[in-house]
Amino acid sequence: MIEQGPLNLESIGPGTHVCFIYDSADQRLDAIGRIMAGVLRGGGSTAYFAWESDLDLIRNHLRLRGVPVHLLDEPTFTVEPAAEVYTAGRRFDKDRMLGLLRQGYDRMRTQVNGTVFFTGEMEWSRQPELTGVDQLVAYEQAVNDVIRTHPFSAICQYDARAFDGDLLFRIVKAHPLMLVRNQILANPYYVPAAASEDGHGHEHDHACGCGHQAHGHA
């Protein structure tokens, strides 16, 4: 994992796994739009796994940010339905999804020189009768291992209105970095998977550092 200090959203680099907790669609689009615009202008590629946002909304936002039209199409820019990417057959399979990230990174590195960036709206995991969702926190922890060999950048988007505080705090702790007030910062609550599994990770009854209370409901 690449160590970084405070990072402006327009200059995200490879090897970053970031948790972004937001509470409005405008807040989400503004932050993610800044990041995607920087990646595209820097010669990279972006893949957006959308739950409620649509292709035209995201593309138009990037055009307003000055991204050239020729970069807003494959292979440098893609938007895919999050439900299809994460939950084929109405099941979330952690290992399948990690494999897709590896494959996506390998494919894009043959076509771009800049950062390979993935971002997903995670509300798909709140669907009723969806199986495999108990793997979600373990998946977030495992992404950190995948990034060591496949140094893409990833921002996982969690709507505070859709997730309870206990789950959000567990998710926050799986990410080395956090997006807070338009900066990417080291996450003081990050607990590496090995420490979490052997019981050395500690829960704290306080805010998660992202503007939402860690315990109770966000």
Side-chain angles (χ1 to χ4, degrees):
M1 188 67 57
I2 295 175
E3 298 292 335
Q4 304 192 61
L7 179 65
N8 185 283
L9 298 195
E10 285 83 356
S11 57
I12 191 171
T16 53
H17 183 208
V18 184
C19 184
F20 177 34
I21 298 177
Y22 61 92
D23 54 21
S24 75
D26 288 344
Q27 181 189 17
R28 176 186 64 208
L29 185 59
D30 178 67
I32 300 300
R34 290 170 186 255
I35 294 165
M36 295 178 75
V39 169
L40 290 168
R41 286 195 293 260
S45 68
T46 63
Y48 194 114
F49 309 140
W51 176 250
E52 65 174 24
S53 300
D54 61 40
L55 174 63
D56 288 339
L57 175 70
I58 298 168
R59 181 182 278 128
N60 289 340
H61 183 82
L62 293 172
R63 288 180 63 185
L64 291 173
R65 289 194 173 277
V67 177
V69 174
H70 72 275
L71 296 179
L72 297 178
D73 210 339
E74 296 185 15
T76 53
F77 171 78
T78 60
V79 175
E80 303 177 55
E84 295 180 11
V85 174
Y86 290 99
T87 60
R90 299 286 299 166
R91 173 175 176 77
F92 175 62
D93 185 313
K94 170 177 70 72
D95 294 329
R96 170 188 167 276
M97 187 62 207
L98 294 171
L100 289 178
L101 294 177
R102 292 187 187 96
Q103 294 165 19
Y105 174 82
D106 288 340
R107 182 176 63 255
M108 291 314 306
R109 288 305 296 154
T110 68
Q111 302 180 67
V112 301
N113 294 320
T115 300
V116 175
F117 176 68
F118 300 113
T119 187
E121 299 173 1
M122 303 300 286
E123 296 99 302
W124 58 265
S125 64
R126 312 313 292 161
Q127 296 177 84
E129 301 180 3
L130 182 67
T131 59
V133 181
D134 58 322
Q135 302 178 32
L136 182 60
V137 175
Y139 161 75
E140 294 286 17
Q141 292 169 333
V143 169
N144 300 316
D145 294 327
V146 173
I147 283 178
R148 292 189 179 97
T149 58
H150 296 69
F152 53 81
S153 282
I155 293 188
C156 307
Q157 306 175 36
Y158 286 90
D159 188 336
R161 300 163 297 182
F163 294 85
D164 70 70
D166 288 331
L167 178 56
L168 277 180
F169 192 40
R170 292 171 60 207
I171 287 165
V172 165
K173 293 195 300 180
H175 291 78
L177 300 167
M178 299 174 65
L179 196 166
V180 181
R181 298 184 180 88
N182 286 340
Q183 285 189 318
I184 293 173
L185 307 170
N187 178 11
Y189 306 101
Y190 171 56
V191 178
S196 177
E197 290 166 2
D198 68 15
H200 294 134
H202 300 287
E203 302 263 346
H204 300 281
D205 189 12
H206 48 43
C208 67
C210 51
H212 302 286
Q213 194 66 27
H215 289 263
H217 291 274

